[in-house]
Amino acid sequence: MKNFKLILFTFLINIGCLHVFSQPAVKFEWSEYSRVKKYSQNIFLSKTNSDYVSIIKNGSKYTIIKYDSSLKITKEHNFNLSKNRERIIGIWIWNYKIYFLTQYELKNQKVAVKSRVFEINDLRIFKSDFLMILDKNRFSRNIAYRLLEGDSTIEIYHTKVYESNDENFSLIYTTFSKDLKLLDKAVFEIPVKYTLCEVLKAEKHDNNIFLFTKQYNVRPIERRGLSSNYYFGFYVANPSNETLEKYLLKYENLYLDGGRAKYKNGKNEAAGFFSDTYKGGKVGFWYLNYDFTNFKKIKDTLVYFDKKTKELPSNGFHKSVFKQYNFESFIVDYLVKANNEKNILIAEQFMLIPASFGSAYTYNRFYGDILILYFDKNLNIYNSQRIVKLQQTFNNTGEFSSYYIERYDSILYFFYNDNINSIFKKTPHQLVWHKHSCLALVKASESKNESFILADYAAIGGIIQVRDIVEIGQNQYLVYARMKNKTKIGIMKLIE
């Protein structure tokens, strides 16, 4: 019956597109199962030489599992984090060692970055110490660390500890080699009060640091709610000669999302959605293109959704009482430069909704439709597509939801888990848990979308954690799957 459904689905798709195309297939090579706790999740998956590594999290307990080239488990190692004091900043592998970084809350409101280094051969702890400690920290709750991993360096940036609300915002940007040897440290100041600035992105480019911030206005209380009280700042700082160039983006009476920003060859390109009411549905996108080399604004404008985009089919889910927003809770994931003439904006519907029963810590995570907007150099939306999906998980981190994306030339590949019953019914059914799931693939181009079922729950022997798919070769992916309280990793080969 399952094979019949798969053949019928492919036939219907072919007829709908008025031409025939081949059905992609996947082949799996799996490891043996290992037992895990009910609410555990995979947080890291990687290939190193001929070995594979997975890290499983279960509360404050962690397990590193190493597999050989045949996907046989060769070693396991358990370790714990401090339950209330540590949160993960980043994990990477370098020179056959696993580096594990956390933010660690010390006594007297001090905060530190703690590193743990494990040997891959036997997974024993090689070194554990504090990478940096902030001594004076009356406001540790406001300290934010973020880690960026380059080809050969690790860049950690965090907000500077301050002792007065009158101080300006400062950022400390530290560069380490991948074995955590200090290479460089820069401190620069932005003329905005510390408590009113949030860093959305920071990147190092040669001698410059590109910074994307969300900054808040101070205004009388009676004005609150009448207009947005924040704006975006784009900065290029050169710590060596202490220069700081900026461009500020703000629209009165509109609410702009943070979106995505890129900086390359002296030019900043950024885009995100905006609403005309607070937390309302998205009505269009904002776009900025600024040349920091020549100090010239190329584009700074708003683009409203066209009629075609507004009328795209959707999953019909709205969380507002009035249910009047067709683009509610979309979050921009990618701003793709297709070529010099065209751009692609990719967004996904996401909501964190308190459950109607249970404790205050019980939530439903909703991952909805994927929206794709194609626009030209004049910002005209010449094509738009909406991949309809409905993923809802109860009281977990949603690790089996959302999607994984790959780009091959002009075609976007979206891998995600779907409820196989939704394919054959008029209204989509929410993917709540495993047994009805299937691995779906959508190939999206400017002209059309092509949808496929690659494998169902029985064929996979579980459900794939799509957010942890790792490309390890041409059409080859390292994947992690789960069946109830058993997990395994595998190599997935896509055949077209």
Side-chain angles (χ1 to χ4, degrees), residues 215-485:
Q215 300 168 203
Y216 294 86
N217 296 317
V218 178
R219 62 188 185 192
I221 190 170
E222 56 266 21
R223 285 196 58 195
R224 289 182 184 173
L226 299 180
S227 63
S228 58
N229 69 331
Y230 61 88
Y231 57 96
F232 296 123
F234 300 89
Y235 299 88
V236 174
N238 190 321
S240 60
N241 56 21
E242 298 184 349
T243 59
L244 180 70
E245 305 296 338
K246 68 178 180 179
Y247 184 85
L248 303 180
L249 175 67
K250 181 180 181 181
Y251 285 90
E252 290 284 351
N253 303 319
L254 292 175
Y255 296 86
L256 277 60
D257 291 350
R260 291 292 181 264
K262 298 187 297 183
Y263 178 82
K264 186 177 181 181
N265 298 328
K267 291 183 179 180
N268 167 42
E269 194 170 17
F273 290 144
F274 70 92
S275 307
D276 52 12
T277 58
Y278 178 63
K279 292 188 177 180
K282 312 303 186 267
V283 296
F285 69 89
W286 59 268
Y287 178 83
L288 170 68
N289 193 341
Y290 186 80
D291 187 346
F292 277 97
T293 303
N294 300 308
F295 314 109
K296 178 182 178 182
K297 180 184 73 174
I298 301 172
K299 289 279 187 183
D300 177 359
T301 188
L302 302 172
V303 179
Y304 285 84
F305 294 139
D306 57 5
K307 186 173 184 291
K308 177 189 173 182
T309 302
K310 292 179 180 178
E311 294 177 351
L312 289 172
S314 75
N315 57 31
F317 186 94
H318 306 283
K319 78 169 184 178
S320 67
V321 175
F322 300 102
K323 298 183 178 181
Q324 59 184 346
Y325 300 127
N326 292 327
F327 297 95
E328 191 166 20
S329 300
F330 270 96
I331 299 173
V332 172
D333 290 327
Y334 301 97
L335 172 60
V336 180
K337 191 74 174 177
N339 52 49
N340 291 329
E341 303 291 323
K342 301 175 182 178
N343 284 280
I344 307 172
L345 206 60
I346 302 170
E348 184 183 29
Q349 205 174 13
F350 173 74
M351 281 165 278
L352 182 65
I353 306 172
S356 57
F357 60 92
S359 70
Y361 300 100
T362 303
Y363 294 94
N364 285 319
R365 283 176 170 82
F366 176 89
Y367 294 84
D369 294 346
I370 299 171
L371 181 65
I372 312 170
L373 298 178
Y374 298 85
F375 57 95
D376 58 26
K377 64 178 180 179
N378 297 318
L379 303 184
N380 297 312
I381 301 175
Y382 64 89
N383 193 15
S384 55
Q385 298 166 7
R386 189 160 172 166
I387 300 173
V388 179
K389 67 180 178 69
L390 219 63
Q391 299 169 326
Q392 185 171 343
T393 59
F394 173 72
N395 206 29
N396 62 41
T397 58
E399 62 268 25
F400 302 106
S401 304
S402 195
Y403 65 93
Y404 172 79
I405 184 174
E406 281 286 348
R407 180 185 176 191
Y408 295 97
D409 297 325
S410 60
I411 301 177
L412 300 171
Y413 285 59
F414 294 89
F415 297 86
Y416 62 93
N417 295 315
D418 201 355
N419 189 325
I420 196 166
N421 294 320
S422 70
I423 306 295
F424 306 101
K425 296 183 179 181
K426 292 182 180 179
T427 56
H429 286 246
Q430 295 173 351
L431 174 67
V432 179
W433 200 233
H434 301 172
K435 62 182 180 179
H436 298 301
S437 72
C438 65
L439 181 64
L441 167 66
V442 171
K443 296 167 62 175
S445 65
E446 293 183 6
S447 58
K448 63 185 177 183
N449 281 356
E450 300 174 349
S451 302
F452 310 93
I453 296 176
L454 298 179
D456 63 8
Y457 184 74
I460 294 171
I463 183 171
I464 289 179
Q465 190 168 310
V466 290
R467 295 197 305 188
D468 265 356
I469 292 178
V470 178
E471 185 181 20
I472 58 175
Q474 182 66 33
N475 289 336
Q476 291 191 43
Y477 305 92
L478 185 62
V479 296
Y480 170 90
R482 177 166 177 161
M483 175 183 280
K484 295 185 178 179
N485 291 340

Side-chain angles (χ1 to χ4, degrees), residues 140-200:
S140 61
R141 289 184 297 273
N142 298 324
I143 298 297
Y145 287 89
R146 288 178 176 85
L147 180 143
L148 297 172
E149 184 177 350
D151 292 336
S152 59
T153 60
I154 291 292
E155 298 166 8
I156 300 176
Y157 66 90
H158 63 91
T159 51
K160 183 178 179 293
V161 175
Y162 73 111
E163 297 183 0
S164 169
N165 287 339
D166 294 328
E167 293 185 21
N168 283 339
F169 170 84
S170 295
L171 193 76
I172 298 178
Y173 203 98
T174 312
T175 305
F176 296 88
S177 61
K178 284 208 169 180
D179 55 0
L180 297 181
K181 293 180 180 178
L182 179 64
L183 299 178
D184 189 24
K185 183 177 182 179
V187 181
F188 56 93
E189 183 177 289
I190 293 176
V192 62
K193 298 305 177 186
Y194 177 94
T195 55
L196 302 176
C197 185
E198 177 186 359
V199 179
L200 301 180

Side-chain angles (χ1 to χ4, degrees), residues 121-156:
N121 286 329
D122 55 9
L123 300 184
R124 68 179 178 85
I125 189 75
F126 173 73
K127 183 171 61 173
S128 176
D129 57 15
F130 290 112
L131 189 64
M132 58 176 69
I133 298 176
L134 302 183
D135 293 325
K136 298 178 181 179
N137 189 13
R138 293 195 298 119
F139 303 94
S140 61
R141 289 184 297 273
N142 298 324
I143 298 297
Y145 287 89
R146 288 178 176 85
L147 180 143
L148 297 172
E149 184 177 350
D151 292 336
S152 59
T153 60
I154 291 292
E155 298 166 8
I156 300 176

